[in-house]
């Protein structure tokens, strides 16, 4: 159990670090190239591992369209939105906004009829929405409002991805499902990354290459492997609380390393979001 807990904590921390390394990579590359590199590296590592661990798993014919839709939502829509937003705002603000994902997903589960929320959980959702509005609704605050909104939009598309893949996760190994969606999404991302801003530059400095490798190998392939392994031993109900680590790590790294500025409104909004996320996770 302790190893599983450490795996979940490490995965959430690595997700939080993706904002730092994403911001560094964006200094030299457009968002399309950063997303393409991240998931190309992640797919090259994760897809063979998933096939090695689950060699007999085959996708049923009736599930192929759903896998294609999930791949499209996962990479070229959700993460392209997230990194385009990250390019326009600070790492600290983006990571705090991402902290609103669990409450938003909780509402989505109610909408699709798979879950019900208690009164206190609805209050937590309201607190999360208030926190986002406090952060996003002030153009004069540090960071770009359009970037904040794009990061928030990425949460909504990732929520749609979670709804599309829910049945798939029940019928296929979660790691296999994630790796397959990632591979399909990367295929969709190839023409976007190659044609939109042009052929990616390869003469990058060392820190950019390190950032891309960390994003692909550490914050993507290793993270999903750790998370799915820990999920098997800890369970879904207990694992949600570890998602609180991601926005905290991202915000701290943004402030300490990138010298992001968090004004009183951003801190207040972030506290609302983190508090709501913690409460929803505890009640899962």
């Amino acid at each position: 159990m302790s190893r599983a807990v450490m795996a979940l904590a490490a995965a959430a921390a690595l997700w939080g670090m993706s904002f730092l390394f994403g911001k560094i990579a964006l200094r030299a590359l457009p968002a399309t190239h950063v997303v393409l590199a991240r998931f190309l590296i992640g797919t090259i590592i994760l897809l063979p591992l998933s096939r090695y661990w689950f060699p007999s798993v085959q996708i049923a014919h009736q599930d192929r369209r759903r896998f294609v839709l999930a791949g499209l939502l996962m990479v070229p829509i959700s993460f392209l939105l997230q990194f385009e937003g990250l390019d326009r705002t600070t790492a600290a603000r983006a990571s705090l906004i991402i902290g609103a994902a669990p409450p938003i997903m909780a509402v989505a589960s109610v909408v699709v009829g798979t879950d019900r929320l208690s009164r206190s959980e609805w209050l937590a959702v309201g607190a999360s929405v208030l926190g986002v509005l406090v952060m996003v609704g002030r153009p004069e605050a540090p960071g770009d409002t359009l970037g904040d909104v794009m990061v928030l939009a990425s949460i909504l598309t990732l929520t749609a991805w979670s709804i599309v893949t829910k049945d798939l996760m029940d019928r296929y190994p979660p790691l296999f499902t994630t790796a397959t969606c990632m591979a399909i999404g990367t295929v969709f991302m190839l023409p976007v990354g190659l044609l939109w801003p042009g052929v990616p530059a390869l003469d990058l400095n060392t820190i950019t290459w390190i950032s891309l490798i960390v994003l692909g190998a550490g914050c993507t392939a290793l993270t999903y492997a750790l998370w799915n392994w820990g999920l098997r031993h800890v369970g879904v109900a207990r694992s949600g609380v570890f998602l609180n680590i991601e926005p905290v790590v991202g915000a701290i790294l943004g402030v300490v390393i990138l010298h992001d500025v968090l004004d009183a409104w951003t801190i207040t909004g972030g506290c609302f979001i983190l508090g709501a996320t913690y409460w929803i996770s505890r009640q899962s």
Side-chain angles (χ1 to χ4, degrees):
M1 179 68 76
S2 60
R3 291 183 179 179
V5 168
M6 291 177 63
L8 292 174
L14 283 168
W15 272 323
M17 293 170 62
S18 68
F19 295 95
L20 168 65
F21 289 102
K23 199 69 176 175
I24 294 173
L26 287 169
R27 293 173 177 173
L29 293 169
T32 47
H33 289 170
V34 175
V35 173
L36 177 60
R38 173 179 181 173
F39 285 96
L40 187 60
I41 295 171
T43 298
I44 290 172
I45 298 173
L46 201 60
L47 189 61
L49 286 178
S50 70
R51 298 304 305 178
Y52 174 78
W53 287 329
F54 309 105
S56 61
V57 177
Q58 298 295 326
I59 300 176
H61 179 74
Q62 64 270 21
D63 291 330
R64 291 177 181 174
R65 289 185 178 180
R66 181 168 289 192
F67 269 102
V68 170
L69 176 60
L72 182 63
L73 286 170
M74 182 183 186
V75 181
I77 297 181
S78 297
F79 277 93
L80 187 55
L81 271 173
Q82 185 180 122
F83 274 75
E84 287 285 359
L86 180 61
D87 196 23
R88 292 167 170 81
T89 189
T90 65
R93 286 170 65 88
S95 59
L96 290 174
I97 293 172
I98 288 293
I104 290 175
M105 290 184 178
V107 173
S109 69
V110 174
V111 172
V112 298
T114 60
D115 204 353
R116 297 180 63 183
L117 298 182
S118 65
R119 182 179 300 177
S120 63
E121 288 172 324
W122 277 115
L123 289 173
V125 170
S128 178
V129 172
L130 178 60
V132 172
L133 291 176
V134 167
M135 292 178 60
V136 176
R138 300 189 68 250
E140 67 274 20
D144 182 87
T145 301
L146 176 60
D148 294 342
V149 171
M150 294 179 78
V151 173
L152 180 61
S154 75
I155 302 177
L156 299 178
T157 52
L158 280 174
T159 301
W161 175 81
S162 69
I163 294 173
V164 170
T165 58
K166 184 181 185 302
D167 291 340
L168 298 178
M169 293 286 188
D170 293 337
R171 289 184 283 114
Y172 298 91
L175 186 61
F176 171 86
T177 303
T178 302
T180 304
C181 292
M182 187 184 302
I184 294 172
T186 303
V187 171
F188 278 116
M189 190 66 208
L190 277 170
V192 178
L194 294 176
L195 299 178
W196 185 354
V199 178
L202 298 178
D203 54 338
L204 305 173
N205 56 44
T206 302
I207 189 63
T208 302
W209 276 114
I210 291 175
S211 298
L212 293 175
I213 293 171
V214 172
L215 282 171
C219 301
T220 304
L222 178 60
T223 300
Y224 281 113
L226 287 172
W227 183 263
N228 284 282
W229 183 81
L231 204 64
R232 290 176 56 192
H233 295 83
V234 175
V236 176
R238 294 181 179 179
S239 63
V241 70
F242 291 94
L243 292 175
N244 294 287
I245 297 174
E246 178 185 357
V248 172
V249 169
I252 290 175
L253 291 176
V255 172
V256 174
I257 297 180
L258 300 178
H259 307 293
D260 292 343
V261 178
L262 296 180
D263 66 352
W265 289 91
T266 301
I267 294 173
T268 301
C271 288
F272 274 115
I273 293 172
L274 293 178
T277 301
Y278 176 78
W279 183 258
I280 290 290
S281 301
R282 293 284 294 182
Q283 301 302 310
S284 299

